[in-house]
Amino acid sequence: MKTAIISDIHANLEALQTALTFIKSQKVNRIICLGDIVGYGPRPNECADIVREVCKTCLLGNHDEAAVGGASIEHFNDYAREAMLWTREQLRDDTTAYLKDLPLLIDDSPGVAFVHSTPVAPQEWNYILNSFEAQMQLDNAENQLKLVFLGHSHIPIVFSYNHGPIMGRKMQLDLDNDRYIVNVGSVGQPRDGDPRASFVIWDETENTIEYHRLDYDIFGTYQEIMKAGLPRFLADRLLMGQ
Ligand code: ZN
């Protein structure tokens, strides 16, 4: 059983299409999206259409929630707020209806969960940025979670309960003795200094997770951002992966 897990697409159609073309070649059994389909980027409806079609499940992200008016954008930075006001104008009614229906968290097989932000109080949109926070989440989450896939920070990293942060392209999981929080990174707006699209393929049979990083047509997205009249900063940051 192989699952591709994508997150934080942020209306970046070029990045999403590149990721999905690769994922198709990997013969996965299902694709799960961890949310933030929209926000920042220039192609919100198109990205939502594709996610709807190809993903078995999609979770709600804070930008998706804000786009459908479910959350205040006062705490968004200036660029995010400007892009969100633009996004709200662009969304078709059926896209809005789709985003409104997305769940905050889903339990998968026993001990496994998918969520955009955190397994504890996902609607608060907190971040998990270090091992201490990861341990706290695993200690306080319901259902004795052993493996949580999430996004939100746009930083690809695995936190092992026993060993702290682990970096690497492919990792063997030891679910009998350890517990993990896996941040899959961002397809459409990576912020770890690497501008390539990031996502994960989880192989349940082998008990492995593998990160994939793919170059995509960043300049195509760059031009669309400028054409849409969105802030140039949002285009520039894609080039830097920040
Ligand atoms: Zn995001």
Side-chain angles (χ1 to χ4, degrees):
M1 174 79 163
K2 277 164 85 175
T3 306
I5 303 150
I6 61 175
S7 189
D8 295 275
I9 294 150
H10 286 294
N12 185 337
L13 184 62
E14 283 77 3
L16 177 61
Q17 285 172 330
T18 299
L20 290 175
T21 301
F22 176 83
I23 286 167
K24 261 180 211 151
S25 75
Q26 298 300 294
K27 309 250 180 293
V28 303
N29 301 84
R30 58 179 181 166
I31 306 170
I32 290 177
C33 174
L34 304 180
D36 274 5
I37 302 172
V38 305
Y40 298 125
R43 303 293 288 274
N45 290 303
E46 293 86 346
C47 289
D49 287 344
I50 292 173
V51 168
R52 238 164 128 172
E53 190 189 319
V54 306
C55 293
K56 182 176 158 47
T57 309
C58 181
L59 284 303
L60 181 75
N62 53 314
H63 284 256
D64 306 317
E65 185 187 49
V68 298
S72 149
I73 54 171
E74 274 166 31
H75 60 284
F76 276 36
N77 66 45
D78 290 349
Y79 305 110
R81 194 178 317 117
E82 189 176 337
M84 185 48 65
L85 294 172
W86 179 89
T87 299
R88 285 176 175 173
E89 281 173 19
Q90 306 298 316
L91 290 188
R92 296 189 320 254
D93 289 350
D94 65 305
T95 308
T96 301
Y98 171 67
L99 296 177
K100 265 190 177 156
D101 257 5
L102 299 176
L104 273 169
L105 180 144
I106 55 162
D107 290 312
D108 196 52
S109 42
V112 180
F114 297 98
V115 66
H116 183 69
S117 57
T118 56
V120 178
Q123 72 282 2
E124 291 177 13
W125 308 118
N126 293 316
Y127 292 90
I128 299 173
L129 298 173
N130 56 52
S131 302
F132 175 73
E133 288 166 353
Q135 283 185 333
M136 289 285 287
Q137 286 285 332
L138 289 168
D139 283 339
N140 293 307
E142 290 173 17
N143 301 340
Q144 291 285 316
L145 294 177
K146 281 180 164 288
L147 181 57
V148 182
F149 291 96
L150 46 78
H152 196 37
S153 71
H154 301 202
I155 310 275
I157 189 166
V158 175
F159 292 107
S160 142
Y161 193 92
N162 297 337
H163 303 292
I166 318 173
M167 309 288 274
R169 201 173 104 75
K170 188 165 184 178
M171 285 168 250
Q172 186 73 48
L173 302 177
D174 178 8
L175 292 171
D176 291 331
N177 302 299
D178 205 351
R179 306 159 77 188
Y180 304 90
I181 284 184
V182 178
N183 192 314
V184 304
S186 168
V187 168
Q189 197 197 78
R191 291 182 196 156
D192 61 333
D194 181 343
R196 295 174 300 168
S198 173
F199 57 92
V200 155
I201 294 180
W202 170 38
D203 187 325
E204 274 177 78
T205 318
E206 287 184 10
N207 252 328
T208 57
I209 54 161
E210 186 168 7
Y211 280 94
H212 295 278
R213 299 301 295 255
L214 300 180
D215 283 313
Y216 68 95
D217 179 14
I218 293 189
F219 289 102
T221 303
Y222 192 102
Q223 284 166 345
E224 286 177 6
I225 289 174
M226 299 312 295
K227 217 171 115 192
L230 287 161
R232 177 183 288 273
F233 169 78
L234 295 176
D236 288 339
R237 73 185 302 178
L238 294 180
L239 299 177
M240 298 178 290
Q242 291 292 347

